[in-house]
Each structure stands twice: as C-alpha cells, then as structure tokens.
Amino acid sequence: MPTVLTDGPYQFVFFSSDRAEPRHIHVKRDRQVVKFWLEPIALARNQGFADHELRVIERLVHQHLPALLRGWDEFFST
C-alpha cells in the first residue's frame, strides 16, 4: 500500500490490487478510510468520516490532484 503523500492527519494511498479500476485514491486517518475517484473527482465510498471532514478531504484531493494522478501513473505503469 504505497503512500503518495501525507497532509496533516491524512494519508493518501493506493492499494496495489486496484490496478484494474479507474484512477482513484484512498485517504486514511486512524481507522477511517474514504475512496475518491480522480477523473472526475467524486466520492466512491466512505468508511467512518463525518460529512464535514469529507468536504475537507475532497478539497485536499482537488489541491493535490496533479501529484495524485502522477503517483497513480508512476505506480501502476510498472
């Protein structure tokens, strides 16, 4: 599970088994995990985050989108 970046308490990760899916990111904090599709950015699944925190995380996904896409491409192109 490679970590693409960390922003505050949030870890942005990929799961190596996700190769067959469209580009997306998992964001973790403690035992909570949320999955966002990257193109277009959209919530895919939420496990434990409150709505107000999801909005914060979505803003971070928008902010870091170029790095997230680059990280996906670099990891899954090998």
Side-chain angles (χ1 to χ4, degrees):
M1 172 175 46
T3 299
V4 179
L5 66 94
T6 301
D7 189 318
Y10 305 109
Q11 252 189 313
F12 293 73
V13 302
F14 300 126
F15 295 113
S16 58
S17 61
D18 288 347
R19 176 183 300 272
E21 293 187 29
R23 295 195 286 187
H24 63 276
I25 193 73
H26 300 268
V27 184
K28 297 174 31 177
R29 181 180 61 76
D30 303 325
R31 295 192 184 278
Q32 300 157 318
V33 180
V34 63
K35 176 180 176 178
F36 278 95
W37 301 116
L38 295 177
E39 297 177 305
I41 295 173
L43 177 65
R45 183 178 63 243
N46 176 32
Q47 294 175 311
F49 285 106
D51 288 344
H52 72 277
E53 197 167 10
L54 287 174
R55 289 188 293 275
V56 169
I57 295 168
E58 184 173 1
R59 279 194 298 271
L60 292 172
V61 171
H62 280 277
Q63 178 183 339
H64 295 296
L65 184 60
L68 299 175
L69 292 171
R70 188 171 47 254
W72 177 279
D73 291 342
E74 289 172 1
F75 182 77
F76 288 108
S77 68
T78 58

